[in-house]
Structures are given as structure tokens and as C-alpha cells.
Amino acid sequence: MDEDFIKSEEEDFLNKPDADAVLQKSCLNIDLNNGTIKEQKYGKSSVLLETSSKMVVDKQGLIHSGNLFSSAAYCALLAVNNPNGIVIGAEVKFLAPIELGNEVLFRGETLQEDTKKREVKVEGFVLDIKIFDAMFYIAVFDKHVLSLHITKEMEKKMG
């Protein structure tokens, strides 16, 4: 009888959702080549990029830095987790080349959360080696950026 109780308690513990976990609200339709979400909590995220032959730029197996940037930007947007957030800038350092077969774990954390412009620190690691360092700037709008009709408003002013 006690064993059944212990077992059900353990099963409940294993199936409990993480108290800090959040419902994903951004990047819902993103291509899986940008990475796999490993963690998403309030103000934090991590994404694992598994390199593929489609990312290679030469015969030696060098991975194109654009793939790293894309995965890191994805990580930053997940940390902000707002469907109306977009990347408006980034300061990026590629600290080491990545080759086919490497897996890169990106970790993002919001440093500023209470304004329309968010700052997100993203670091990338191969094993325990830091290979990427960036600060992403994310603008958060009240409505989707494409529903703002910015181009039409500019045309009215110009015409």
C-alpha cells in the first residue's frame, strides 16, 4: 500500500509542469532548422542548434554564421515571448568557427523587461566553450508590426 502511494507521488512529481515555465507565444511557425527549444521560462530561454549539411559553406564543413545568428535571434525572441516582438538590432561577436557536427546551445536572458524596447543577452556554447556572445534589441508593439500599416502612412506623408 505504501509503495503505491510513493509511486503515485513520484509520478505526479515527474508530470508536474515547471512552475517557471511559460506558454510559448512567439515564433510559433518558425522553421525547425533554427533550433529546438530546450527551456523557456519567464525572461529566459535556451535553444539547441544541431548543425546540418545545409548550413555548410565549404568543403571543410564550416557552418555559415548566419545560421548561428538566426538561432540566437530565435532564442532572444523566445526569452521576450511576445507575439508582437521583433529584432531591431544586435551587437554580435562570433568567438569561434563552428563545423558540421557541432551542436550549439544558445542561452538567452532578458536584461530589461519593462519597456517597449527589450535587451536580451544571448550566449552560445559548444560543450562548455563559449563561441557566441550577443546583445539583441527587441521592440515590442501593441499590435503586430505588419498590421501597423507603416508604409501606407509614410506614402500619405510623402504624397
Side-chain angles (χ1 to χ4, degrees):
M1 181 92 171
D2 287 336
E3 288 177 18
D4 291 337
F5 177 72
I6 292 170
K7 186 175 182 180
S8 66
E9 250 186 18
E10 286 175 4
E11 287 172 0
D12 288 344
F13 175 75
L14 294 174
N15 293 323
K16 274 186 188 175
D18 187 338
D20 294 329
V22 295
L23 180 65
Q24 181 183 351
K25 297 178 188 174
S26 64
C27 303
L28 297 175
N29 297 320
I30 199 162
D31 186 285
L32 294 177
N33 286 323
N34 286 288
T36 305
I37 300 171
K38 290 298 177 187
E39 176 185 50
Q40 188 174 19
K41 295 182 177 182
Y42 183 78
K44 292 184 179 186
S45 65
S46 64
V47 171
L48 182 67
L49 176 65
E50 297 179 36
T51 58
S52 73
S53 60
K54 292 179 181 179
M55 302 173 185
V56 170
V57 298
D58 60 21
K59 291 179 182 178
Q60 285 77 28
L62 179 66
I63 299 298
H64 190 282
S65 59
N67 296 102
L68 301 173
F69 181 86
S70 180
S71 189
Y74 177 38
C75 186
L77 287 166
L78 289 171
V80 171
N81 199 32
N82 187 302
N84 300 324
I86 62 167
V87 174
I88 59 169
E91 296 171 13
V92 178
K93 294 178 187 170
F94 298 96
L95 305 174
I98 302 304
E99 62 183 306
L100 182 61
N102 287 149
E103 292 182 340
V104 183
L105 180 64
F106 291 96
R107 294 186 193 126
E109 182 174 359
T110 55
L111 302 180
Q112 182 183 43
E113 299 178 14
D114 56 346
T115 65
K116 297 287 184 187
K117 182 179 173 188
R118 314 282 171 88
E119 294 180 357
V120 183
K121 174 81 169 164
V122 178
E123 297 174 315
F125 298 87
V126 172
L127 302 173
D128 290 333
I129 302 166
K130 185 174 172 180
I131 57 90
F132 182 92
D133 189 36
M135 183 67 70
F136 282 89
Y137 303 98
I138 311 286
V140 177
F141 296 93
D142 293 330
K143 295 195 257 181
H144 191 281
V145 69
L146 297 181
S147 69
L148 297 176
H149 305 292
I150 295 169
T151 307
K152 290 179 185 175
E153 292 299 318
M154 289 176 65
E155 286 174 357
K156 284 181 189 176
K157 290 179 180 178
M158 301 289 281

